[in-house]
Amino acid sequence: MAETGTRKQLEADMSDLKRMVLRLGMMSGDALSRAVRALEKGDASPARAVIDGDDELDDLTERIGEGCMAFTARHQPLGQDLRTVVSIIHIATDLERVGDYGVNISRTVLGLEDRPLLKPLIDIPRMAELLLEMLNRALVAFDVGDAETARKLFIMDEQIDALEKQVLRELITMVLERTERLEQAFMLLNVARTLERAGDHLTNIAERVVYMYTGKMARASDYKTPRGRQ
Amino acid sequence: MFAVNSETEANPTPGGATPETSRAQIETRDLHLHYGPVHVLKGISFDISRHTVTALIGPSGCGKSSYIRCLNRMNDFIGGTRVEGQILIEGADICGPGVDVIDLRRRVGMVFQKPNPFPMSVYDNVAYGPRLFGEKNRDVLDGIVRKSLEAAALWDEVRDRLPASGTGLSGGQQQRLCIARAIATAPDILLMDEPTSALDPMSTARIEELVRDLRRSFTVVIVTHNMQQAARIADRTAFFLLGELVEYDDTLKIFTSPDDKRTEDYITGRFG
């Protein structure tokens, strides 16, 4: 069955939208990882760059939203095309939020004002590394239509949650030893909480990708280890 | 896949009355239709519930219009037609030789692609059917004409010009007049064969709104090439291809995540 000209135009427009989403994903991931590295090294200048770059991220998100509206008006999509364009709107919002978290962490870095950290960071950079791995996989799954890879993100998010708990435990111990550590402990805990939320947004993206390509709603909670068995 | 749409899913009838039986109103069982040597419908089986709107979609020549023409035996007019299988309406087979076809067509009304009012007054267009079935009382006819025109959302526009010719109305009004004419014989089922394809967007919107309202009193089966229209007005949608019923499901399911790849390919414009 030969494809029509309209279909070719639709696919070209869809491909443009997807490229914008991939670019947004890379920018968000970059913001997050640069922010965490700035925290690790106590370096204010990359943190400032992340904050300055946020407008570009917001603009791109807005352009994706407009692109989705134009696409819908032009093609009146149905089936997988409809699922994809609606998913793109959600995915772009999730990605933008991940970028915002990079900005939040960068502000924390600036708030430290060159004071040394309580201790060298271990688990927070691991969380960031794992998040980047999740993000990359999510983007690949989104691009090539791999629902199976997307589902694997659900398990990775569990590791993020476990690391956040680990950070909490460690910080509580440190504060109990010396209460003057409280302020910075709160701050670091906030960073860990922010990264944990970023994991939730990436999980949302994975759920969307599964829906886009299979038409079935996937819930991350269906794949996670039941509580008490971790 | 071809599950019976349960009555609980269907819209309640006015006043909340429940349908008499839980049986589907139109049951099609392994229906085959041949026009001479051409095998037009190939084993169609599905059920249509009372007071629902069912859209039939598919590329030209897929058999959807041929199918609805089976529902009121319009195919009888075409020579060399052969029907096998069964269509049960309210449990009674309508394909057999002993069927009162005139009564069947009263119970199963039809609206066509192009508005085709009779060359007579608005009033006489609507009164035509009831008169044919023996109604002579002027008061009764007045009542039927008014009720039918009201149900077709045309009364307010033509109440002062009932004696004027039906063919003088606008295209959208003519189509609503044809709907009023179909309703006037108090059918149970309304068949519509692309009823808006010859109309402008405003008239189309009025007809679509009307179809949704008509569902309270009638079962509507509508053939449409416009998938957005099907998505807007139909409870269930059937996708026909090359004389086969490929998929029949809730409209939302058909247009967001159909089970069959051929349905997906059709609704996303990969063919057709």
Side-chain angles (χ1 to χ4, degrees):
Chain A
M1 293 169 196
E3 300 217 337
T4 59
T6 323
R7 181 71 217 168
K8 277 188 190 142
Q9 184 60 51
L10 181 148
E11 277 170 8
D13 290 350
M14 182 69 88
S15 164
D16 288 347
L17 281 177
K18 280 184 158 185
R19 264 203 299 276
M20 285 202 278
V21 172
L22 294 177
R23 182 166 160 66
L24 180 66
M26 285 186 273
M27 286 165 67
S28 300
D30 198 40
L32 198 70
S33 73
R34 280 202 294 169
V36 172
R37 237 180 300 134
L39 177 70
E40 213 181 335
K41 299 202 160 72
D43 189 353
S45 99
R48 271 190 210 99
V50 169
I51 294 169
D52 291 342
D54 190 42
D55 283 349
E56 203 185 332
L57 234 133
D58 290 347
D59 288 346
L60 183 54
T61 308
E62 206 168 300
R63 283 215 308 282
I64 292 171
E66 287 166 2
C68 288
M69 277 210 278
F71 180 91
T72 307
R74 190 175 302 152
H75 300 291
Q76 306 189 358
L78 293 170
Q80 190 177 324
D81 300 328
L82 177 62
R83 298 200 302 271
T84 301
V85 74
V86 171
S87 297
I88 283 177
I89 296 170
H90 287 280
I91 289 172
T93 310
D94 280 317
L95 288 174
E96 191 222 357
R97 198 57 61 82
V98 171
D100 283 345
Y101 290 157
V103 172
N104 291 354
I105 294 170
S106 296
R107 293 220 168 92
T108 304
V109 176
L110 298 186
L112 274 173
E113 294 168 340
D114 298 331
R115 276 172 291 166
L117 290 174
L118 290 174
K119 61 178 267 311
L121 299 181
I122 299 166
D123 291 321
I124 286 179
R126 274 172 65 190
M127 285 176 88
E129 209 175 298
L130 201 52
L131 285 170
L132 276 194
E133 175 68 22
M134 281 175 79
L135 175 64
N136 285 332
R137 288 196 189 190
L139 292 177
V140 169
F142 165 78
D143 192 30
V144 302
D146 181 354
E148 209 35 59
T149 295
R151 285 194 191 94
K152 287 191 181 128
L153 262 73
F154 303 151
I155 310 293
M156 294 175 80
D157 188 45
E158 282 197 307
Q159 297 169 29
I160 298 280
D161 294 352
L163 281 169
E164 190 218 348
K165 288 200 183 78
Q166 171 65 22
V167 171
L168 172 66
R169 277 194 295 270
E170 198 179 2
L171 289 171
I172 288 174
T173 315
M174 292 182 82
V175 169
L176 287 176
E177 282 169 10
R178 287 171 58 184
T179 48
E180 64 268 31
R181 289 166 168 168
L182 189 64
E183 188 191 347
Q184 210 185 94
F186 262 131
M187 184 214 76
L188 289 175
L189 184 60
N190 208 15
V191 170
R193 179 63 45 91
T194 301
L195 294 175
E196 185 270 328
R197 292 219 178 106
D200 291 344
H201 286 283
L202 295 176
T203 307
N204 288 349
I205 294 174
E207 288 178 346
R208 283 280 157 197
V209 170
V210 173
Y211 176 66
M212 260 171 72
Y213 289 106
T214 65
K216 310 270 185 296
M217 281 290 181
R219 286 273 161 261
S221 49
D222 297 339
Y223 292 82
K224 288 186 178 178
T225 320
R227 277 180 191 282
R229 275 208 233 155
Q230 286 178 21
Chain B
M1 188 198 301
F2 305 128
V4 179
N5 189 12
S6 73
E7 290 297 338
T8 49
E9 284 178 290
N11 275 340
T13 46
T18 47
E20 318 72 26
T21 72
S22 59
R23 180 165 199 163
Q25 189 171 24
I26 307 171
E27 299 166 77
T28 305
R29 299 275 171 268
D30 195 27
L31 184 75
H32 290 260
L33 174 70
H34 301 259
Y35 291 143
V38 188
H39 196 173
V40 183
L41 294 175
K42 301 168 185 168
I44 307 295
S45 296
F46 70 124
D47 291 345
I48 294 175
S49 298
R50 270 172 209 82
H51 301 298
T52 56
V53 177
T54 301
L56 309 184
I57 61 166
S60 299
C62 67
K64 52 197 190 304
S65 290
S66 299
Y67 171 74
I68 65 165
R69 293 162 69 89
C70 290
L71 294 178
N72 68 349
R73 300 270 299 259
M74 292 281 287
N75 288 319
D76 289 8
F77 295 120
I78 303 169
T81 300
R82 197 170 86 246
V83 176
E84 292 156 16
Q86 281 187 316
I87 298 175
L88 309 176
I89 293 183
E90 306 291 357
D93 190 3
I94 59 148
C95 299
V99 175
D100 179 348
V101 177
I102 303 296
D103 184 60
L104 173 68
R105 293 193 188 126
R106 182 194 63 73
R107 290 187 291 129
V108 185
M110 188 146 185
V111 177
F112 298 87
Q113 186 172 352
K114 264 186 82 178
N116 56 348
F118 300 139
M120 51 180 75
S121 72
V122 170
Y123 184 99
D124 290 339
N125 259 282
V126 183
Y128 186 87
R131 279 182 180 140
L132 198 68
F133 287 100
E135 187 56 65
K136 293 191 179 76
N137 184 311
R138 181 78 194 191
D139 288 343
V140 175
L141 283 173
D142 285 356
I144 290 173
V145 168
R146 176 172 181 158
K147 234 180 99 197
S148 305
L149 287 168
E150 280 174 348
L154 187 60
W155 174 251
D156 289 340
E157 291 160 59
V158 299
R159 59 193 301 171
D160 300 325
R161 43 205 282 218
L162 295 178
S165 170
T167 54
L169 301 176
S170 75
Q173 288 173 328
Q174 285 187 21
Q175 194 61 304
R176 277 179 282 144
L177 178 61
C178 294
I179 292 171
R181 190 177 63 194
I183 292 171
T185 59
D188 304 315
I189 297 164
L190 267 184
L191 309 176
M192 297 185 158
D193 195 352
E194 297 187 52
T196 63
S197 60
L199 302 181
D200 62 78
M202 285 296 283
S203 306
T204 297
R206 291 215 63 166
I207 301 278
E208 286 183 6
E209 199 181 326
L210 177 58
V211 169
R212 290 213 64 93
D213 286 345
L214 290 173
R215 180 175 64 161
R216 296 201 198 106
S217 316
F218 309 97
T219 302
V220 181
V221 184
I222 181 168
V223 169
T224 178
H225 269 121
N226 181 335
M227 284 182 277
Q228 276 70 30
Q229 177 169 74
R232 283 191 293 267
I233 63 177
D235 303 295
R236 307 268 289 176
T237 295
F239 171 55
F240 281 69
L241 183 66
L242 302 169
E244 287 175 37
L245 175 59
V246 172
E247 190 163 355
Y248 173 54
D249 212 323
D250 288 340
T251 296
L252 190 63
K253 173 90 164 55
I254 292 283
F255 289 118
T256 57
S257 41
D259 287 328
D260 196 291
K261 180 156 190 315
R262 291 168 293 175
T263 315
E264 170 76 27
D265 285 350
Y266 179 68
I267 62 167
T268 55
R270 288 186 168 85
F271 70 89

